[in-house]
Amino acid sequence: MASNSIAITGGYIVPVEGEPIDGGTVLLVDGKIAAVAGPDFKPPPGADVVDAAGKWVLPGFIDAHAHLGVHEEGEGWAGSDTNEMTGPVQAHVRALDAINPAEEGFRDAIAGGVLAVNVNPGSGNPIGGQTVAIRCWGRTVDDMVLREPAGLKSALGENPKRVYGERKETPATRLGTAAVIRAAFTDARNYIAKQDFEKNDSSERKEPTARDLKLEALARVLRREIPWRQHCHRADDIATAMRIADEFGYQLVIDHGTEAHLIADKIAAAGIPVIIGPLFTSRSKVELRNRSLANPGRLAAAGVTIAITTDHPVVPIHFLIHQATLAVKEGLDRETALRAVTINPAGIIGVADRLGSLSVGKDADVVVWSGDPLDVMSRAEVAYIGGVQVYHYDYGTRSGVHVAP
């Protein structure tokens, strides 16, 4: 994206993958990170030098589970496109098609140091649709895409049970929800088998199997091309998610995981990551009764890979780092807290080769903070996306200044 060189010098560099460097330099060239070096590094001739002395320099934060752009703030019905609740299986719908880059939440995200997000459909359906990993800056969503699809959303527990139970339709129970998911995957297996048969069948066939967009999306999960993003809070629902994943052999990610700490040993043994949160909420429903800021630390201590989410707009997205801060207060170690908003979510959504740490060759998505981001008094002062400065904080007016894409 960028054609210039920018040297951010003299700051406290937190690469995330690697030891911090006091007084170091991060060099951005042509939209990529070209160097992460110590105090003796000399910026190349012609580079724009940014003095970050006394500041902290980190990769942009990532929220791996949000509804940014599909559930617009302050727009009511007109801006709510989170759930296509006209049937329990909506594997073919794409969050990509409902994201409005003009939504104010994207500006809030950047002001909070969040430069990338995985946008999910909602959790009203057993199978809700395809997620997309995007940057938080761009004129159209196509300009913002990092990976599409980045996963397929599914929900267990109270949400689909409530939505369809009130209609007296299937699924009205937890067992019905699991049955809908199993039936959909069985149909997808049959669809794959038919396609494979046609590829290997030497006889002439007049009509190939008709395309089915729902089954094609589910087939990508079965082929482990994208993960299954499972909304679930209660420990028994998490166990169901793991049971179905074992049956069909796909890659599972637990979203929310409110009671995941109760079976953390099993989750860790299976190598399943948990995107935990939102953490700044009341216990608004039964399955949240064990919600606690101590849960991220409990999971991490058990060896579970965690990412922290706001579930925006449930919690405003610029409070992502504050959730991490309070999780540290309740037992999560600092290093894991920073990984839970950088490299861990990057890995979960499949963009760790580009984002999540200050590493040579990765995209130049960098934030300069006034101080330690885990201090609630610190603020994001300057943000770069692809080596382009997209934001700075103006202390004179006490407001953030965003650059139009």
Side-chain angles (χ1 to χ4, degrees), residues 66-71 99 103 105-106 109 117 119 134 136 312-313 317:
H67 308 290
L68 193 61
V70 298
H71 191 139
I99 295 172
E103 201 228 314
F106 285 109
V117 63
V119 180
I134 61 172
C136 293
H312 178 93
I317 194 162

Side-chain angles (χ1 to χ4, degrees), residues 38 41 74 103 183 196 208 283 339 394 397:
F41 181 82
E103 201 228 314
D196 291 343
R283 297 175 179 87
R339 292 180 68 88
D394 187 329
T397 61

Side-chain angles (χ1 to χ4, degrees), residues 296-380:
R298 292 165 176 157
L299 284 173
V304 177
T305 297
I306 65 165
I308 294 174
T309 177
T310 61
D311 197 15
H312 178 93
V314 180
V315 170
I317 194 162
H318 50 298
F319 290 164
L320 177 65
I321 190 60
H322 300 325
Q323 293 190 129
T325 295
L326 292 188
V328 170
K329 178 182 177 182
E330 300 302 329
L332 181 64
D333 70 90
R334 288 177 51 87
E335 181 181 350
T336 303
L338 290 176
R339 292 180 68 88
V341 294
T342 54
I343 194 63
N344 288 358
I348 290 169
I349 65 177
V351 297
D353 59 328
R354 297 180 61 181
L355 302 177
S357 64
L358 300 180
S359 304
V360 172
K362 288 194 177 185
D363 293 357
D365 289 20
V366 181
V367 180
V368 179
W369 287 80
S370 62
D372 181 355
L374 291 173
D375 180 343
V376 295
M377 297 305 292
S378 297
R379 67 170 70 252

Side-chain angles (χ1 to χ4, degrees), residues 106-273:
F106 285 109
R107 264 59 68 195
D108 287 344
I110 294 172
V114 181
L115 304 189
V117 63
N118 193 75
V119 180
N120 288 7
S123 54
N125 297 315
I127 302 177
Q130 298 166 49
T131 79
V132 59
I134 61 172
R135 285 184 161 124
C136 293
W137 187 75
R139 282 194 300 158
T140 69
V141 69
D142 306 274
D143 300 331
M144 302 157 72
V145 169
L146 293 161
R147 184 186 182 199
E148 201 283 324
L152 190 57
K153 176 70 178 292
S154 173
L156 294 168
E158 293 179 22
N159 286 15
K161 172 180 172 177
R162 181 187 69 253
V163 169
Y164 290 94
E166 288 176 352
R167 301 179 187 176
K168 300 190 185 312
E169 298 176 4
T170 300
T173 60
R174 279 181 163 83
L175 54 92
T177 302
V180 166
I181 293 169
R182 282 193 179 93
F185 274 125
T186 299
D187 289 343
R189 274 184 171 174
N190 293 338
Y191 183 75
I192 292 171
K194 288 181 181 179
Q195 290 182 321
D196 291 343
F197 177 78
E198 288 175 6
K199 288 178 184 177
N200 298 320
D201 185 10
S202 59
S203 63
E204 293 186 7
R205 295 173 59 88
K206 294 182 179 179
E207 293 185 10
T209 299
R211 289 188 63 188
D212 187 311
L213 296 181
K214 291 183 179 181
L215 298 180
E216 285 184 9
L218 290 162
R220 298 192 71 169
V221 175
L222 292 176
R223 294 188 181 110
R224 299 179 69 88
E225 296 171 6
I226 56 174
W228 186 249
R229 296 290 302 273
Q230 189 68 73
H231 164 113
C232 44
H233 289 276
R234 254 172 41 178
D236 59 326
D237 289 326
I238 296 170
T240 296
M242 295 171 67
R243 186 181 315 116
I244 300 175
D246 283 343
E247 290 175 25
F248 290 93
Y250 52 75
Q251 178 187 354
L252 175 63
V253 176
I254 299 297
D255 284 54
H256 303 304
T258 299
E259 293 186 354
H261 62 286
L262 299 178
I263 54 171
D265 57 333
K266 295 180 179 293
I267 296 170
I272 298 168

